[in-house]
Amino acid sequence: MRIGSAIVLMAIGAILVWAVDADVPYVSLDMIGYILIAAGVLGLIWALLASNRTRVTESRTVQDPNTGETVHRAESHDGL
């Protein structure tokens, strides 16, 4: 979940809680709104924590013993 989708979830939840005044049988729109707001907050926290990850790049240079050719290899991965 990215930052934008988390904010959208919170906005939809806030609309359901404070702006919609409909009476749906067997469904509490307020509770659904609070659940969407909570999911949006958790998604926002997760997205902010995930954006702090560092990217690690490792590079190696070796010489092939058979041909004498120099081989360069670079690998990249996320820090977490």
Side-chain angles (χ1 to χ4, degrees), residues 20-46:
V20 174
D21 191 24
D23 191 22
V24 179
Y26 304 109
V27 176
S28 173
L29 292 180
D30 288 343
M31 184 56 66
I32 292 173
Y34 286 125
I35 291 171
L36 288 175
I37 291 172
V41 168
L42 290 175
L44 183 62
I45 291 170
W46 180 261

Side-chain angles (χ1 to χ4, degrees), residues 1 45-54 80:
M1 178 179 294
I45 291 170
W46 180 261
L48 291 175
L49 289 175
S51 69
N52 287 334
R53 287 195 256 181
T54 58
L80 286 178

Side-chain angles (χ1 to χ4, degrees), residues 5 8 14 17 40 43 49 55-56 61 64 67 69 76 78:
S5 58
V8 167
V17 171
L49 289 175
R55 187 129 182 111
V56 177
T61 303
D64 189 355
T67 61
E69 181 181 337
S76 297
D78 291 328

